[in-house]
Amino acid sequence: MTDTSVIEIGLQALLLAGKLAGPFLLVVLAIGTLVGLAQSVTQLQEQTITFVPKFLASGMVLLVAGNWMLGQAIAFTHHLFDMIPSLLS
């Protein structure tokens, strides 16, 4: 196992983490911005109001993109297992 292969595996893992976290982060950011804007307009400054919409939106992201996310994680794991013989030599 060379240092190049370790860096390549680490880079692939970081890219996968970004791809899997990206939909959650984008949706929660958008919901938080919209709710924050609505709170500013109505001058209602309650911190707990944003929790339920973010929670529901995260659940929707998981329902819509969960199959794709699981497929990406499984493909990455299969790729790592397939690389084991070449890493040992």
Side-chain angles (χ1 to χ4, degrees):
M1 177 182 268
T2 63
D3 56 345
T4 307
S5 60
V6 172
I7 292 173
E8 180 184 338
I9 292 170
L11 179 63
Q12 289 175 356
L14 286 174
L15 288 173
L16 178 67
K19 285 196 302 189
L20 296 182
F24 283 109
L25 294 175
L26 290 175
V27 168
V28 169
L29 176 68
I31 296 293
T33 302
L34 292 175
V35 171
L37 182 63
Q39 284 181 330
S40 295
V41 170
T42 61
Q43 295 182 353
L44 180 63
Q45 299 300 323
E46 179 62 35
Q47 296 295 326
T48 58
I49 290 176
T50 61
F51 176 74
V52 173
K54 286 180 183 179
F55 184 72
L56 293 175
S58 296
M60 291 301 294
V61 168
L62 193 58
L63 283 174
V64 171
N67 189 28
W68 172 78
M69 291 175 169
L70 184 61
Q72 291 289 314
I74 289 172
F76 178 71
T77 305
H78 283 183
H79 179 68
L80 285 179
F81 282 135
D82 291 340
M83 286 178 58
I84 290 175
S86 66
L87 294 175
L88 295 177
S89 59

